[in-house]
Amino acid sequence: MTLSRRNFLKTTGGAALAGSALWAPQVAHSQISLGAMTLDVVSDGSLTLPGSFIFGPMPQDQLAPILKTYNQSPDSLTPPCNVTLLRHGGRNILFDVGSGPDFTPTAGLLVNSLDALGLAPEDITDIVFTHGHPDHLWGLLDDFDDPLFTEASYMIGKAEWDYWLDPNTVDSISSDRIPFAVGAKRRLEAIENNISFFTNDEEILPGVAARASFGHTPGHMAFEVRSGTEAVMVVGDSIGNHHIALARPEWISGSDQDGDLGAATRVKLLDQLASEQMPLIGFHINQGGIGRVEKTSDGYRFIAET
């Protein structure tokens, strides 16, 4: 297994932003190789969220010293959005498609990031969704509400598809996430004639197996990418950050739609990653998104690959 990191400036628009403190951290690009497979982690930008979005349900007195250790503000979060690109056997496979132009002004940079690797949207052959939240799905359509990745085939877990396409979801989801439900249904309906479904433990593409990681959403999936004895886990949002999600994985996170199930998934997945020393790629994990998990006396620690 080989890995390299480098910084790059995106095309003209991205280069103009590169001097800005807001955007400069988002140009990091990481790469890991598994045999003949190459996985690039490219940026879709970042989010700006209130700390309560994740920290709200947590025991605040115990939370404060942990966040201080990580120099993490309890009031605001600015997580990166790391999209994984797998290149193998003539395929260019994206895991999620980022936010597009309609979710937040600090995200939606995926097309520029792909361009920096010499790829256009029409070069993408396959798109695999971890789940249907806006920062993972809303980049699906172009400015005319047509599919942006014109040559791609799409795949999503059956449980996730059923949840977002259920007309009752908009009435059962929390009120602050109603736009998530409306937006997901509209976008998924745009590709319903070009999408296939999978369930847990299926090999969905050569060397890529789906791993159920429910809780963040009802049908959230991670993906184990394997070549021989080497593997990496694309975890999506099942491990949502490099700090509290590892330090106290058993705590309920406000970002998970089912907090108890999300916590149980996190604990199980981190135990596997630590015991097997399998690298992970995290959608919202800092320092390029690629690293390993190490067990500590009371939780886990993320160690970035450099």
Side-chain angles (χ1 to χ4, degrees):
M1 181 183 302
T2 59
L3 179 145
S4 65
R5 278 187 66 140
R6 64 186 184 274
N7 289 331
F8 69 94
L9 295 181
K10 296 178 287 294
T11 54
T12 306
L17 293 167
S20 163
L22 176 64
W23 293 95
Q26 304 309 322
V27 301
H29 166 243
S30 300
Q31 186 180 88
I32 188 168
S33 296
L34 302 175
M37 297 177 168
T38 299
L39 293 104
D40 290 281
V41 182
V42 295
S43 178
D44 190 53
S46 65
L47 304 180
T48 301
L49 303 168
S52 60
F53 182 74
I54 289 178
F55 306 138
M58 298 178 179
Q60 301 299 302
D61 57 335
Q62 299 176 56
L63 173 68
I66 297 172
L67 296 185
K68 185 176 181 181
T69 298
Y70 285 93
N71 295 315
Q72 171 60 52
S73 166
D75 301 317
S76 64
L77 294 149
T78 55
C81 296
N82 303 315
V83 176
T84 301
L85 167 71
L86 168 61
R87 292 185 277 189
H88 178 230
R91 281 182 150 124
N92 297 315
I93 304 160
L94 281 181
F95 295 88
D96 298 327
V97 293
S99 296
D102 297 328
F103 184 52
T104 176
T106 56
L109 304 181
L110 178 59
V111 171
N112 282 346
S113 295
L114 290 174
D115 183 77
L117 293 178
L119 294 174
E122 58 268 25
D123 295 320
I124 302 302
T125 59
D126 306 87
I127 291 172
V128 182
F129 294 108
T130 61
H131 66 296
H133 279 168
D135 49 328
H136 299 254
L137 174 65
W138 284 19
L140 181 64
L141 303 181
D142 63 19
D143 292 338
F144 301 97
D145 280 348
D146 294 320
L148 175 63
F149 301 93
T150 54
E151 302 303 312
S153 296
Y154 303 90
M155 309 179 81
I156 194 169
K158 186 62 166 62
E160 190 74 358
W161 172 270
D162 289 345
Y163 176 73
W164 295 112
L165 268 292
D166 184 344
N168 296 315
T169 294
V170 72
D171 297 317
S172 61
I173 201 169
S174 60
S175 59
D176 59 318
R177 299 190 186 203
I178 289 175
F180 291 14
V182 174
K185 187 172 186 292
R186 180 171 72 84
R187 287 166 176 83
L188 290 173
E189 285 176 339
I191 57 169
E192 62 183 338
N193 294 323
N194 185 27
I195 193 163
S196 57
F197 309 112
F198 52 83
T199 57
N200 185 38
D201 289 338
E202 283 190 40
E203 185 176 36
I204 62 171
L205 291 164
V208 180
R211 303 297 186 213
S213 46
F214 301 165
H216 184 70
T217 61
H220 186 288
M221 286 284 185
F223 300 95
E224 183 177 319
V225 182
R226 178 170 293 275
S227 176
T229 60
E230 298 181 329
V232 62
M233 190 76 75
V234 180
V235 302
D237 281 6
S238 57
I239 302 171
N241 55 69
H242 72 287
H243 41 82
I244 200 66
L246 282 91
R248 295 295 183 272
E250 72 278 9
W251 285 0
I252 290 175
S253 171
S255 68
D256 292 337
Q257 290 184 218
D258 184 329
D260 290 327
L261 182 56
T265 290
R266 224 169 8 259
V267 170
K268 181 179 180 180
L269 185 54
L270 285 167
D271 179 68
Q272 177 191 355
L273 293 171
S275 63
E276 297 181 12
Q277 276 301 286
M278 184 189 301
L280 67 88
I281 300 175
F283 194 88
H284 293 305
I285 291 181
N286 287 1
Q287 297 177 274
I290 300 177
R292 296 178 186 267
V293 171
E294 180 180 87
K295 187 75 175 74
T296 66
S297 60
D298 52 3
Y300 298 86
R301 175 170 54 228
F302 176 73
I303 302 171
E305 297 275 9
T306 57

